[in-house]
Each structure stands twice: as C-alpha cells, then as structure tokens.
Amino acid sequence: MSFKIAFIGAGSIGFTRGLLRDILSVPEFREIEVAFTDINQHNLEMVTQLCQRDIKENGLKITIQATTNRREALKGAKYVFNVVRIGGLEAFKHDVEIPLKYGVDQCVGDTLSAGGIMYGQRGVAEMLEICKDIREQADPDVLLLNYANPMAMLTWACNKYGKVNTIGLCHGVQNGHKQIAEVLQKTKEEVDIICAGINHQTWYIQVKTDGEDRTNELLEAFEAHPEFKDTEKVRIDMLRRFGYFSTESNGHLSEYVPWYRKRPEEIHEWIDMSSWINGETGGYLRVCTEGRNWFETDFPNWLKEPAYEYKEEHRGEEHGSYILEGLETGRVYRGHFNRVNHGIITNLPNDAIIEAPGYVDRNGINMPYVGDLPLGPAAVCNVSISVQRLAVEAAVHGDDYLLRQAMMMDPLVGAVCNPKEIWQMVDEMLVAQREWLPQYQDSIKKAESRLQQGDLVPTKNYQGAARLNVKTVEEMAKDREAAKKNAGEADKGNF
C-alpha cells in the first residue's frame, strides 16, 4: 500500500529516526512516501542523511522528500507527525532560568509550571499555523499525531482551534508499566493495566496479574525495590498519599504539584542525582544542550555505525507506527492516547485532553468509557486542567491577563511566588521570548516598559537546588557510549 507521511520538526536527534524505523518495520508500509521538514536546514540534512542511509541498507526504494518548505512537505500527506520544539534550546533556556530568579526550581519545564506554560504559548501559536497548512495542503482525512510538549495544551489547541483531527502520543504509560512489572517481579506482558488521567499525570487505576488486582500491593513493592526506593521518591510518596501510581518520572512529577520543590533546602530529600530525570534542576535543558552539541560533533561517526534494521524485533514501543498499522491493515492495537475527553473520564471536564486506553483498527481510534477517576487523582488532574485551559486560551488570543492567571493557578509557581512576583516573572519571560510570541507583541511592549521603569520586585541569583554544569564536547568524548545515550535522551525517547 502507498500513502504519504510527513514529519514536522524532523531535525530532532533521535525521535524522527526511531519513528521512521518503527513505521517501515511494518511489511505493508515498504512503499509509502516520506517527507521531512524542519526550519533548521543543517539539522534536517543530518537526520535525512542518517534515515536515507537506513532505508538504503534495508533494501527499500523510498526517497525522503526533505524540505524547509513545510507546505510542500504536507502536500497530500495522510499522516503528519509533529515533533517540533518551538524556540529550540534558546527559548528553553529562558523557560528554566528566568523562573529560577523567582525561586521556581524545575527539572524539565515542558509540560506545566512556568516553563511548560510559556512553552505552550510558543507552541500553540505555531501549531495554529501548522494546522492551517495541514488543512490547506494535506489529505482531507489527515490525522495529526502530536508528540510535542506541552502535550495536552498543543493537542487541545489543534483540535479546538486548529480544526485538525489530532491525537497526542506519549510513552509515559509504557515506561511506568515496565516499572510496575519489575516491582511485581513479572514481565510486562504478564501485567494488565488500566491507566487514565491527563498526560504526564495518568494513574494506574487497575493493575492485574493472572486476573488478580494487585493495585494495593504497589506501595510496598516500590518501597522495597533496591533502585526505585531512591530514584522515585516523589512518585512513591504520591502513591502513598493518593493510593495510585502515576505515570511520569520523579523529576517531571515533582514540578507538577506544590509539595516537593517549593523549599530549596528540602528538594534533595525528594530527588536523586544518578540521572537527570530523577529531579536535577534544569536537567532536561542540560541533557538537550549536551545532546545537540554531541550529535553535531560526532555525526560522522554515526554514519559509520550499523544502520537501523527494519525488523519487528527492533521496533520500539512508541504508539505512532502501531496506530498507522491498525488504521491501514485492520490489525487491532491497544494503547493509551490523548484525545478530547467527551465523557470518557466522567469527573474530568469534557473539553479537556485526557489520556486513557484506546483501540485502533480500520474503524478508527476508539476510546472506551472509563468512568470516574478516584477522587484524589481526579483532584490533582483538575488543578492541572484549569492551568492548561487558561494557558491555551491565553496563547490563542494573545491574552497576557489569562497567561498571568495560568501562572498564578499553577501548583508549583503558586507555592513559591506571590502575585507581584508572578506578574513580574511573566513580564520578563514575555520580553525574553518575544521572537516566538507573535500574538503578544502589544503586551510585550507594555511589559518591557514596566521592566525599564524600575521599582521592581527583588529577584535571586539562584541556580537551583540541584544544578549541574553542561559538559563540554571534550568531557563527553571520554565516554562516547554515554554521550550517545545522552543524545538519545535529548528526545526523551526512553526514561
């Protein structure tokens, strides 16, 4: 069979290549059309060269259409994968470092908290332009598969305002599923789960082995695990206090709630520095910076290594290829997807983007009824949904009043900052990121004027409770395998 897929933001280090491997591992997909587009010509060329080499080594005749012209790449596309990072590392640095001046200590900063909210402002503005191009250039029945963060905000905006059928995809459920299987001393295949909530705050509300519910055994099992008892302290504490294990990593989860990162002297009680994802201040920014520097330096060596093999046994667990396989071949796939709620989870708002079980076949993507989440997990999710809604509406309409309210309602920002500090922090972030915020130009002029007038709230010269220095290429070269793994983690492909 033949159809066209397009990757937007294809210059990502590892994600594009891995997703393409997964898709081309499906025997029926060996003659599809593939288009890559990215605003960075250099990154686009490197990733295209790697992927085209993989294609050739696997004996396929596909020629990647690589272009910086997004509309050209989208022409006739039936499926569009979105893996963009709007503003790149330059904007991301502001997401992490400006909030630190106000005491907001983030590990990742791409989903919620001050960094995630601002990432959403940049992302939503560009996603609406991307959706316009998709509507005008792609197949009328196109499906947009969004892998970009903040997942819920972007998927929300694309469905409501972009008028493009969009599904959000993440690997958090799969990774937590593996951890649960490990602590129960089972294989992943032996553990059946139902996971529901919102992206990065999805809850394993049912965990069964051999038909027996093991949910109540998880706390004791995680507390006894030799590694997780140290690396997942936040997640274990949330399990202890809310009764259910949550999908996202220790570092991620610690910045979505108000309790674990609000006092610098206490942060080390909850995090672990053996890996950035366990809670390191600005850890994801550091890893991304190191990964990009290493990839550009070491790229010639990547071309000398064996090509990816397009075989089922090498296929990853990202949902994207399995969704395409289900839709095109009819083979049934069960996963966890981000869609508009529409009554699937009954005690979360209908307009929210929820993450819940779904099934895919030729009839489409179907999300069964879940019902109520347990009250505690639902309360945690509803707080985040309120922030997401405010942030989406702010980004769509360029309304900095709603943006400031989103910041005030954010659990971690609200736990650390008073209203005057939040107002000034937003001013600073708007001015610093003006290049990527076309909808806020009038507000940015006013913010700039306020910052220049003086009489400002004092800020801190604060680097965070657990900040590590970015390694130089020379330092990374001492352990090439670790550096390469790090480059892969820059796409958060596997925690």
Side-chain angles (χ1 to χ4, degrees):
M1 58 182 61
S2 180
F3 53 85
K4 183 177 180 180
I5 61 173
F7 288 81
I8 302 176
S12 64
I13 297 169
F15 218 51
T16 300
R17 189 183 181 200
L19 285 172
L20 186 65
R21 173 205 59 208
D22 294 350
I23 293 166
L24 295 181
S25 295
V26 180
E28 291 89 344
F29 294 172
R30 299 301 176 91
E31 296 180 358
I32 65 172
E33 298 178 58
V34 178
F36 286 178
T37 186
D38 198 287
I39 61 172
N40 188 311
Q41 179 75 44
H42 178 55
N43 291 349
L44 180 62
E45 288 175 355
M46 287 193 295
V47 173
T48 301
Q49 192 176 352
L50 268 175
C51 291
Q52 194 66 67
R53 191 278 305 261
D54 292 341
I55 289 171
K56 181 181 178 182
E57 292 295 319
N58 281 274
L60 305 187
K61 298 185 190 286
I62 296 169
T63 299
I64 297 170
Q65 175 194 2
T67 175
T68 56
N69 185 326
R70 185 168 69 208
R71 291 174 68 86
E72 284 296 316
L74 289 169
K75 276 186 180 177
K78 189 174 182 181
Y79 300 102
V80 177
F81 286 84
N82 179 55
V83 292
V84 299
R85 178 185 284 154
I86 302 302
L89 296 182
E90 182 181 353
F92 189 16
K93 188 174 182 180
H94 295 310
D95 289 341
V96 172
E97 295 191 348
I98 292 175
L100 277 173
K101 295 169 59 178
Y102 296 86
V104 181
D105 187 318
Q106 303 165 100
C107 172
V108 185
D110 71 355
T111 297
L112 214 64
S113 196
I117 292 169
M118 287 307 298
Y119 195 17
Q121 304 311 292
R122 303 193 303 274
V124 167
E126 188 59 30
M127 288 310 300
L128 295 184
E129 292 300 313
I130 288 172
C131 285
K132 179 176 182 293
D133 289 345
I134 290 173
R135 294 195 307 269
E136 294 176 358
Q137 297 294 318
D139 185 276
D141 295 323
V142 64
L143 175 66
L144 174 57
L145 300 101
N146 177 46
Y147 273 99
N149 284 317
M151 171 66 64
M153 293 183 202
L154 298 193
T155 304
W156 194 324
C158 289
N159 280 291
K160 181 177 181 179
Y161 291 104
K163 305 301 180 185
V164 171
N165 182 21
T166 305
I167 182 170
L169 302 177
C170 183
H171 42 245
V173 174
Q174 298 98 300
N175 289 334
H177 191 177
K178 291 177 187 174
Q179 290 176 307
I180 288 171
E182 183 172 336
V183 300
L184 293 178
Q185 298 180 350
K186 299 285 186 178
T187 66
K188 185 167 174 263
E189 292 69 29
E190 292 174 311
V191 179
D192 195 27
I193 61 165
I194 295 177
C195 201
I198 61 173
N199 182 241
H200 288 185
Q201 289 179 302
T202 324
W203 305 80
Y204 297 90
I205 57 175
Q206 182 176 284
V207 176
K208 287 186 174 182
T209 63
D210 299 318
E212 179 186 353
D213 195 332
R214 308 285 298 276
T215 308
N216 290 335
E217 299 175 33
L218 291 183
L219 177 58
E220 184 178 353
F222 271 97
E223 289 177 328
H225 191 274
E227 177 186 346
F228 298 151
K229 66 181 176 63
D230 296 320
T231 61
E232 301 287 4
K233 292 174 186 175
V234 172
R235 294 171 82 186
I236 291 172
D237 196 60
M238 290 288 285
L239 170 59
R240 180 181 299 116
R241 301 182 191 285
F242 286 87
Y244 298 89
F245 195 58
S246 181
T247 48
E248 215 40 64
S249 63
N250 203 69
H252 263 300
L253 183 55
S254 70
E255 64 188 14
Y256 302 155
V257 290
W259 308 298
Y260 303 104
R261 302 188 76 94
K262 67 179 179 180
R263 296 175 183 152
E265 67 275 13
E266 294 179 1
I267 289 177
H268 275 281
E269 295 178 23
W270 296 107
I271 69 172
D272 176 84
M273 296 297 285
S274 63
S275 172
W276 69 272
I277 197 60
N278 297 333
E280 174 193 336
T281 300
Y284 189 40
L285 174 62
R286 176 183 66 79
V287 164
C288 290
T289 304
E290 292 175 357
R292 174 57 64 192
N293 293 343
W294 180 254
F295 182 62
E296 291 183 348
T297 302
D298 199 51
F299 176 70
N301 291 320
W302 291 48
L303 288 172
K304 297 173 186 176
E305 295 176 351
Y308 278 2
E309 291 185 279
Y310 295 161
K311 296 180 179 179
E312 181 64 29
E313 59 263 34
H314 299 308
R315 196 172 172 188
E317 292 191 357
E318 297 293 347
H319 296 302
S321 70
Y322 298 95
I323 290 173
L324 269 59
E325 182 179 8
L327 293 172
E328 294 292 331
T329 72
R331 289 193 280 270
V332 178
Y333 175 63
R334 173 188 173 189
H336 286 76
F337 314 133
N338 291 268
R339 302 301 303 261
V340 181
N341 189 11
H342 292 321
I344 296 166
I345 301 177
T346 44
N347 55 352
L348 298 186
N350 279 334
D351 62 335
I353 299 297
I354 54 93
E355 189 167 58
Y359 297 85
V360 188
D361 58 17
R362 276 203 180 98
N363 294 314
I365 301 169
N366 298 289
M367 307 280 286
Y369 173 85
V370 171
D372 278 359
L373 281 184
L375 281 177
V380 173
C381 289
N382 274 309
V383 172
S384 297
I385 289 169
S386 293
V387 176
Q388 292 166 356
R389 184 185 290 106
L390 285 164
V392 168
E393 295 299 323
V396 169
H397 301 292
D399 187 333
D400 73 309
Y401 195 53
L402 291 179
L403 172 61
R404 296 168 199 278
Q405 291 172 1
M407 291 284 189
M408 289 189 70
M409 291 301 300
D410 179 81
L412 180 58
V413 174
V416 173
C417 298
N418 66 37
K420 287 184 178 180
E421 291 167 336
I422 293 170
W423 241 243
Q424 184 174 300
M425 180 176 69
V426 172
D427 279 351
E428 280 204 60
M429 296 185 84
L430 284 170
V431 170
Q433 300 189 23
R434 69 193 318 156
E435 178 182 349
W436 306 283
L437 298 171
Q439 75 273 45
Y440 282 111
Q441 292 309 303
D442 289 342
S443 298
I444 289 170
K445 290 177 184 176
K446 294 175 183 177
E448 193 169 39
S449 176
R450 284 191 292 270
L451 292 173
Q452 291 173 348
Q453 286 173 4
D455 191 27
L456 301 178
V457 175
T459 58
K460 309 166 187 173
N461 182 17
Y462 178 52
Q463 295 303 306
R467 195 84 184 262
L468 297 180
N469 292 326
V470 174
K471 292 179 183 176
T472 65
V473 172
E474 291 73 22
E475 288 173 323
M476 288 187 282
K478 295 175 182 177
D479 188 344
R480 283 195 71 254
E481 283 305 310
K484 186 179 178 183
K485 180 177 181 288
N486 193 54
E489 286 190 354
D491 288 317
K492 295 201 295 185
N494 186 0
F495 292 154

